[in-house]
Amino acid sequence: MMKEVRDILKKLKQRGLVVVELFWFLWEARLWWLVPMVAVLLLFGVLLIFAESSAVAPFIYTLF
C-alpha cells in the first residue's frame, strides 16, 4: 500500500515539475502573454478531470 502511494506521489511530482518548467520557460523567454493562456488551459484540464470522477460532476456540467 505504501509503495503504491509513493509511486503515485512520485508521478504527481514529476508532472508538477513539467508544469513548473513550462511556466519558467515562458517567463525566461519573455513570453508573458502566454502565461495566462496556459494557466487557463491547465485549469480547464483540472476541471475536466474532477468532472469525470467526482460527485461534483453534475454541477460542473451546468457551467458549460
Side-chain angles (χ1 to χ4, degrees):
M1 178 73 174
M2 289 302 286
K3 185 178 183 205
E4 293 172 4
V5 172
R6 270 189 255 135
D7 291 340
I8 291 171
L9 288 175
K10 243 185 226 182
K11 287 179 185 177
L12 287 175
K13 184 179 177 184
Q14 288 172 349
R15 289 182 184 165
L17 288 176
V18 170
V19 172
V20 170
E21 281 187 37
L22 174 64
F23 278 108
W24 184 253
F25 167 74
L26 292 175
W27 194 260
E28 288 295 314
R30 297 181 184 246
L31 297 173
W32 299 304
W33 56 276
L34 278 176
V35 172
M37 285 189 251
V38 172
V40 167
L41 286 174
L42 287 173
L43 286 174
F44 275 128
V46 169
L47 184 67
L48 289 175
I49 289 171
F50 281 127
E52 291 177 355
S53 63
S54 73
V56 184
F59 302 109
I60 293 175
Y61 287 135
T62 59
L63 295 174
F64 299 106

